[in-house]
């Protein structure tokens, strides 16, 4: 039986006259990535006026007939694994999940499986392929021990559009962070460049010449020895909120890399025990707002604080404070 294929046809227009073939294909077939199209050219899957194209750099002329053979997406080389996964939203282009703390996003050294990608391969049945492979398109990452909302693309077109919008004002990323102490101002902006820590390459730090990073924060609740902050990312650097909160002088509770065991300085032994039992940074991706890649409609998906963080917040509330109600992001204007 012949392998399933998708033949696509187009005619080179005046706007593509004398362009490189791979660039012209990018304009004629915008739903595919330029790298993927270049690979198809190299594999003999692109014809010009019935003749196989020679290389991605050859020039095209207006009026030429282009045929592109897109092979069926290959099965992922990664195993599908039935891991618990909470799906907050799903449609033909995107899936939004509520990532638990402790779950690694991608297979890597030390974590060959049991990751979010393995779980998505089991739970999501209509992936149409990213770069020619049936796999989910990870638009952004959360650290292993950060919980909350994550956005995943199901196809190349959605992945490319969401990735392009990610560090623009079209996407709004809001987190809830439990930090030691209370900032002197109820709201503010940290604008400080982040790069690899020259003393420890496994950490990030505020460094001269680093990539610009901007975090907006707002006080949500004053607690004993700590505060709950709402943080909005205007950029997406590695460990950005964790590094910026440390720079602010109020590192995130439970962060083993950027705060250490600061709970030891708290005189209340009960609070010490609660924080010591957390075993992860108290950081939660609470809300994401993004333009849907198919029609541009604005979508907002939220995730409630998980129980482990709610228990710590309740323990830090002043004696007599009312109940343990989930703290949600306020509506945006």
């Amino acid at each position: 039986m012949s392998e399933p294929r998708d033949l696509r046809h187009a005619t080179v227009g005046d706007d593509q006259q004398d362009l490189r073939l791979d660039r012209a294909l990018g304009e004629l077939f915008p739903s595919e990535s330029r790298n993927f199209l270049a690979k198809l050219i190299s594999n003999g899957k692109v014809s010009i006026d019935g003749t196989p194209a020679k290389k991605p750099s050859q020039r095209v002329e207006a009026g030429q007939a282009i045929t592109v053979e897109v092979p069926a997406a290959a099965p992922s080389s990664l195993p599908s694994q039935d891991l618990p996964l909470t799906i907050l939203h799903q449609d033909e282009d995107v899936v939004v999940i509520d990532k638990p703390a402790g779950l690694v996003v991608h297979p890597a050294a030390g974590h060959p499986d049991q990751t979010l990608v393995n779980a998505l391969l089991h739970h999501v049945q209509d992936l149409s392929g990213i770069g020619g492979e049936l796999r989910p398109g990870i638009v952004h990452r959360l650290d292993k021990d950060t919980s909350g909302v994550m956005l995943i693309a199901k196809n190349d077109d959605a992945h490319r559009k969401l990735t392009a919008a990610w560090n623009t004002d079209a996407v709004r990323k809001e987190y809830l962070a439990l930090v030691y102490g209370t900032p002197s101002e109820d709201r503010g902006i940290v604008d400080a460049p982040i790069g690899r820590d020259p003393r420890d390459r496994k950490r990030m730090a505020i460094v001269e010449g680093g990539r610009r990073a901007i975090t907006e924060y707002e006080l949500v609740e004053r607690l004993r020895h700590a505060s709950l902050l709402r943080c909005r990312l205007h950029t997406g650097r590695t460990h950005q909120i964790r590094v910026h909160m440390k720079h602010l002088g109020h590192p995130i509770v439970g962060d083993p890399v950027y705060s250490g065991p600061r709970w030891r300085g708290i005189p209340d032994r009960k609070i010490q025990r609660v924080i010591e039992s957390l075993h992860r940074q108290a950081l939660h991706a609470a809300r994401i707002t993004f333009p849907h890649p198919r029609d541009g409609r604005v979508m907002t998906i939220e995730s409630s604080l998980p129980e482990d963080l709610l228990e710590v917040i309740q323990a830090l509330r002043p004696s007599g404070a009312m109940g343990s109600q989930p703290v949600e992001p306020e509506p945006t204007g």
Side-chain angles (χ1 to χ4, degrees), residues 158-225:
H159 187 254
R160 186 164 51 258
K161 289 177 180 178
L162 291 170
T163 300
W166 191 250
N167 283 322
T168 72
D169 289 338
V171 179
R172 186 180 180 100
K173 298 149 281 187
E174 298 180 26
Y175 292 70
L176 289 171
L178 183 63
V179 303
Y180 286 107
T182 302
S184 58
E185 302 290 337
D186 285 355
R187 63 181 65 220
I189 294 177
V190 181
D191 185 347
I194 291 177
R196 291 287 173 187
D197 188 331
R199 296 167 298 181
D200 183 350
R201 301 297 293 175
K202 294 181 180 180
R203 294 160 51 107
M204 308 302 288
I206 305 300
V207 295
E208 185 177 352
R211 300 178 70 187
R212 190 179 187 192
I214 304 172
T215 304
E216 182 181 354
Y217 70 89
E218 177 185 2
L219 179 67
V220 174
E221 184 177 2
R222 287 182 174 84
L223 303 163
R224 291 184 293 169
H225 312 288

Side-chain angles (χ1 to χ4, degrees), residues 1-271:
M1 180 180 293
S2 62
E3 182 179 303
R5 61 180 186 167
D6 175 13
L7 291 178
R8 305 182 190 180
H9 306 277
T11 300
V12 177
D14 292 339
D15 291 343
Q16 288 86 42
Q17 172 68 33
D18 205 34
L19 288 181
R20 285 172 53 109
L21 175 58
D22 55 354
R23 183 176 173 186
L25 291 182
E27 295 184 4
L28 294 170
F29 303 98
S31 64
E32 304 295 346
S33 71
R34 186 169 168 181
N35 286 340
F36 180 59
L37 291 167
K39 185 184 299 184
L40 293 181
I41 297 169
S42 300
N43 291 339
K45 302 296 185 181
V46 177
S47 297
I48 302 176
D49 289 336
T51 302
K54 297 178 181 179
K55 54 186 178 179
S57 61
Q58 74 181 82
R59 302 290 170 170
V60 299
E61 299 178 6
Q64 288 178 322
I66 304 290
T67 299
V68 176
E69 179 184 338
V70 181
S76 174
S77 58
L78 299 173
S80 165
Q81 295 175 319
D82 186 6
L83 306 175
L85 192 64
T86 299
I87 295 177
L88 301 173
H89 170 83
Q90 184 172 191
D91 57 42
E92 60 187 325
D93 296 298
V94 300
V95 57
V96 186
I97 62 102
D98 195 353
K99 180 183 120 34
L103 182 64
V104 175
V105 172
H106 255 304
H111 294 282
D113 58 8
Q114 301 290 308
T115 71
L116 173 61
V117 169
N118 298 110
L120 286 166
L121 288 170
H122 174 83
H123 289 279
V124 181
Q125 303 302 315
D126 58 341
L127 296 171
S128 65
I130 304 294
E133 183 180 354
L134 288 174
R135 62 182 175 86
I138 303 299
V139 178
H140 64 117
R141 291 168 176 78
L142 295 179
D143 295 334
K144 172 187 174 184
D145 290 325
T146 296
S147 55
V149 181
M150 269 196 70
L151 175 61
I152 296 100
K154 289 186 174 183
N155 54 64
D156 260 329
D157 191 40
H159 187 254
R160 186 164 51 258
K161 289 177 180 178
L162 291 170
T163 300
W166 191 250
N167 283 322
T168 72
D169 289 338
V171 179
R172 186 180 180 100
K173 298 149 281 187
E174 298 180 26
Y175 292 70
L176 289 171
L178 183 63
V179 303
Y180 286 107
T182 302
S184 58
E185 302 290 337
D186 285 355
R187 63 181 65 220
I189 294 177
V190 181
D191 185 347
I194 291 177
R196 291 287 173 187
D197 188 331
R199 296 167 298 181
D200 183 350
R201 301 297 293 175
K202 294 181 180 180
R203 294 160 51 107
M204 308 302 288
I206 305 300
V207 295
E208 185 177 352
R211 300 178 70 187
R212 190 179 187 192
I214 304 172
T215 304
E216 182 181 354
Y217 70 89
E218 177 185 2
L219 179 67
V220 174
E221 184 177 2
R222 287 182 174 84
L223 303 163
R224 291 184 293 169
H225 312 288
S227 301
L228 185 65
L229 304 182
R230 181 180 299 110
C231 298
R232 179 187 175 194
L233 290 180
H234 291 268
T235 53
R237 310 303 175 213
T238 301
H239 297 178
Q240 179 172 321
I241 295 177
R242 298 165 66 187
V243 172
H244 274 177
M245 291 303 101
K246 178 184 178 183
H247 179 68
L248 193 66
H250 301 281
I252 293 176
V253 169
D255 190 333
V257 176
Y258 299 104
S259 70
R262 290 202 176 194
W263 51 266
R264 292 175 179 167
I266 296 174
D268 189 318
R269 285 292 299 158
K270 179 180 178 181
I271 292 178

